[in-house]
Amino acid sequence: LYFFTIFFYNLFAVLVTFELSSVWHAILDNFRPITVWVTDLVIFYYINPLFGEVWTTYSYIQIAGMAVLLYGTAIYNAPNDGSLLLEGQWWAFGIDLRDEYDAIRREKEEAEADAKWESKRQEFKRTRSSFMESPRISIHTQALRGIGAQHN
């Protein structure tokens, strides 16, 4: 049973990393101790008090520690996808990464525009009109359009 549990845990971890990112893998990895602890509490109080874990006065410290763990993981990879937005809010402790977020947005927009331009260029290459290859276009115009070298 243990072998299959670990096997499927690692299988799903690889799938999360492949489908989402390693940031999400790290975030979801931190839910393991929380899940085990809550499962132990449920087993103790609802299934069998011989197993599981009892709620103690130190359980509040465990909750606080797990909250710090999740918060630290959520902001560790900022400003990348999957992390909390840190724009100077009270819970960001004054960390303001608006400039970095704007730079990332601009980079994504530029990459999308470049990809769109490249696809249009490739489409144009496939459907080149006779106008572009006409011998009546001056050499200067052909050079400006980048087609002059094709006639050599």
Side-chain angles (χ1 to χ4, degrees):
L1 180 66
Y2 178 76
F3 172 78
F4 290 110
T5 305
I6 298 301
F7 173 77
F8 283 110
Y9 170 77
N10 288 326
L11 176 71
F12 289 121
V14 169
L15 287 174
V16 164
T17 304
F18 179 74
E19 291 294 326
L20 298 172
S21 68
S22 59
V23 175
W24 279 104
H25 180 140
I27 290 170
L28 294 175
D29 215 18
N30 287 321
F31 282 99
R32 187 176 3 150
I34 295 168
T35 306
V36 169
W37 183 59
V38 169
T39 303
D40 278 346
L41 289 172
V42 168
I43 289 172
F44 182 83
Y45 286 106
Y46 294 107
I47 297 175
N48 188 348
L50 296 175
F51 301 104
E53 183 176 336
V54 65
W55 182 271
T56 65
T57 55
Y58 299 107
S59 297
Y60 297 106
I61 296 173
Q62 281 182 293
I63 289 175
M66 289 181 194
V68 168
L69 173 73
L70 290 176
Y71 178 76
T73 303
I75 68 167
Y76 176 73
N77 290 303
N80 297 318
D81 291 337
S83 61
L84 293 176
L85 291 177
L86 302 176
E87 297 179 338
Q89 303 92 337
W90 65 269
W91 46 266
F93 298 109
I95 299 171
D96 190 359
L97 299 176
R98 286 186 188 126
D99 295 336
E100 287 84 353
Y101 293 133
D102 290 339
I104 289 171
R105 282 187 204 108
R106 280 192 303 274
E107 286 175 11
K108 285 182 180 178
E109 289 170 0
E110 289 172 5
E112 289 171 3
D114 289 345
K116 186 177 178 182
W117 171 254
E118 183 62 26
S119 69
K120 294 276 188 187
R121 193 174 74 81
Q122 292 297 332
E123 180 183 331
F124 182 75
K125 273 183 159 180
R126 287 189 297 269
T127 61
R128 175 162 288 176
S129 69
S130 60
F131 173 75
M132 288 299 288
E133 297 177 354
S134 171
R136 296 186 182 144
I137 298 176
S138 72
I139 294 173
H140 178 70
T141 304
Q142 289 180 9
L144 287 175
R145 292 186 181 165
I147 61 173
Q150 295 175 357
H151 293 292
N152 293 338

